[in-house]
Amino acid sequence: MTEVQSLLPDSTHFPPSSWQPSRISDPPEPPPQDTREADLAALAAQEKLGHDGKRQRVRPRRTVDPFGGLERWKIFRTTQTSVHDQLFMRTNPSYLINLLPPNAYTNPAVSFCSRYAHTSTNKIRCPVNIVKWTPDARRVLTGSTSGEFTLWNGLTFNFETILQAHDSAVRAMEWSYSGQWLISADNNGIIKYFQANMNNLQVFQGHQESIRDCSWAPNDMRFATGSDDGTVKIWNFELMKEEKTLTGHGWDVKCVKWHPTKGLLVSGSKDNLIKFWDPRTSKVLTTL
C-alpha cells in the first residue's frame, strides 16, 4: 500500500481549482440565428449592381436548340405511311417552329436559315480564322489570330472556355471522324494534337511555313496538311511521322481535303489549280 501511495502524485503541490459548474442550473438558450439566406440575398443584390452602384438591367439569354428540328423529323419518319407523304413550309411566321433539316424536304432551298440570331464577341478582339462545330454539335470551337481556342455554347451563345493553344495564329483545325481527337496547325507550321477536353497531347513541327488546311483519312489513322511551302504532306497520326510529300503546285497550297470514304485527296493552290492525288502512290491523277 505504501508503494502505491508513493507512486501517486502529491496533491499538496497543486493549488485548489476555482471552477464551479454553473451552466447546469442556467435556463436553456435558443440556437443562433441562421443568416445564410440573408447573406445570399445581399450577395445577389450586390452582383446586380454595376461598378457605379446603379442597378443593371438583366436580360436572360434566349436558348436555341438546333436538335429540335431533328427530333421532329425523326417522329415524322416513324409515322410516315408512304413515300408520297412530303413536308412543305407554310407561308406563315407561326410555322417557323416546324422548320426541319434540309434533307427533310424535296427542295432543300426552303430550309435555309436567313434570320439573324446572335452575335458573340470574345474578350480580346482579334480576327477569327477558323470555326468548327464539336462532334456533339452543341458547341463551337474557334481559332483566332492570337493563337487562342475559344469554346462557345451553341445553345446560349456564350463562351465556356478560352485556351492559349498556339503561340501564333491558328490557321487550321479538324476533328477526327471518331470525335476523340483534334488536330490544329498554326502560322509557324506547328501541328498539335488535342483531346475532346482540350488536353494537349503532342506538339511537333510539320512545315517550315504556315499550314493552311488539314484533313483526316476515313480511318483516322492518317491526315494530310497543306502549306504555304507549296506541298501537301501525309502524316501517320500515331507515330507523328511524315509518310509522303506531294509536290506539284507552283504556289501556296490553301486547302486540302481527304475523300470521306475513298483513298483520294484534292488540293487547291494559289496557282489557280485544283489537283487530285492518289495518297498511296503520291501521283497526280488529274489537274483542273
Side-chain angles (χ1 to χ4, degrees):
M1 186 66 180
T2 56
E3 295 179 358
V4 174
Q5 291 179 352
S6 62
L7 294 176
L8 294 176
D10 189 2
S11 59
T12 59
H13 297 285
F14 298 98
S17 176
S18 61
W19 176 84
Q20 296 294 332
S22 60
R23 295 184 62 87
I24 298 178
S25 58
D26 293 344
E29 296 180 359
Q33 186 178 2
D34 189 4
T35 61
R36 289 178 296 178
E37 295 184 0
D39 295 342
L40 291 177
L43 182 61
Q46 183 66 27
E47 290 180 353
K48 293 181 180 180
L49 298 178
H51 298 287
D52 53 356
K54 297 181 180 180
R55 187 178 183 86
Q56 293 182 345
R57 187 176 180 181
V58 180
R59 294 182 178 179
R61 291 182 179 268
R62 184 169 61 93
T63 301
V64 178
D65 189 0
F67 283 86
L70 293 175
E71 294 299 328
R72 283 191 292 272
W73 186 30
K74 289 169 61 177
I75 295 174
F76 171 77
R77 293 179 64 181
T78 56
T79 59
Q80 187 178 13
T81 59
S82 172
V83 293
H84 299 289
D85 294 343
Q86 299 295 332
L87 298 171
F88 62 94
M89 287 297 299
R90 300 179 184 271
T91 58
N92 193 314
S94 61
Y95 286 93
L96 287 177
I97 193 174
N98 296 324
L99 183 66
L100 300 180
N103 292 335
Y105 303 99
T106 55
N107 182 13
V110 301
S111 187
F112 289 161
C113 298
S114 58
R115 184 176 180 273
Y116 163 78
H118 186 77
T119 299
S120 298
T121 306
N122 204 341
K123 290 184 176 180
I124 302 177
R125 291 180 176 268
C126 57
V128 177
N129 294 332
I130 190 166
V131 177
K132 292 289 183 181
W133 283 95
T134 56
D136 59 3
R138 290 185 175 271
R139 291 173 177 82
V140 178
L141 185 65
T142 62
S144 62
T145 306
S146 61
E148 291 181 341
F149 281 172
T150 306
L151 189 65
W152 304 85
N153 191 313
L155 303 180
T156 57
F157 307 115
N158 59 331
F159 74 92
E160 295 183 353
T161 304
I162 298 179
L163 171 67
Q164 187 66 43
H166 289 265
D167 296 332
S168 60
V170 180
R171 293 296 180 183
M173 69 171 70
E174 190 71 29
W175 288 96
S176 62
Y177 287 96
S178 63
Q180 297 180 355
W181 313 104
L182 172 72
I183 54 173
S184 63
D186 61 14
N187 207 42
N188 294 333
I190 301 295
I191 300 175
K192 291 190 176 184
Y193 294 170
F194 290 89
Q195 289 179 311
N197 58 358
M198 296 294 106
N199 181 28
N200 184 212
L201 297 178
Q202 297 291 344
V203 182
F204 61 95
Q205 185 77 39
H207 293 260
Q208 296 302 320
E209 297 188 26
S210 175
I211 298 177
R212 295 295 179 174
D213 200 5
C214 56
S215 181
W216 286 90
N219 57 3
D220 288 347
M221 297 181 63
R222 293 170 177 81
F223 64 92
T225 57
S227 172
D228 282 350
D229 57 10
T231 63
V232 176
K233 292 185 178 182
I234 300 176
W235 302 85
N236 187 300
F237 172 71
E238 184 177 356
L239 302 178
M240 298 178 297
K241 181 180 179 182
E242 175 189 342
E243 292 187 347
K244 293 180 175 62
T245 301
L246 312 181
T247 58
H249 281 291
W251 215 342
D252 304 347
V253 177
K254 295 299 184 182
C255 54
V256 58
K257 293 299 177 184
W258 204 306
H259 194 279
T261 59
K262 299 179 181 179
L264 181 64
L265 274 171
V266 59
S267 61
S269 174
K270 202 174 179 181
D271 58 3
N272 303 328
L273 297 178
I274 299 174
K275 291 181 179 291
F276 291 84
W277 308 83
D278 185 351
R280 293 177 289 268
T281 61
S282 305
K283 293 183 179 180
V284 179
L285 300 178
T286 184
T287 301
L288 304 179

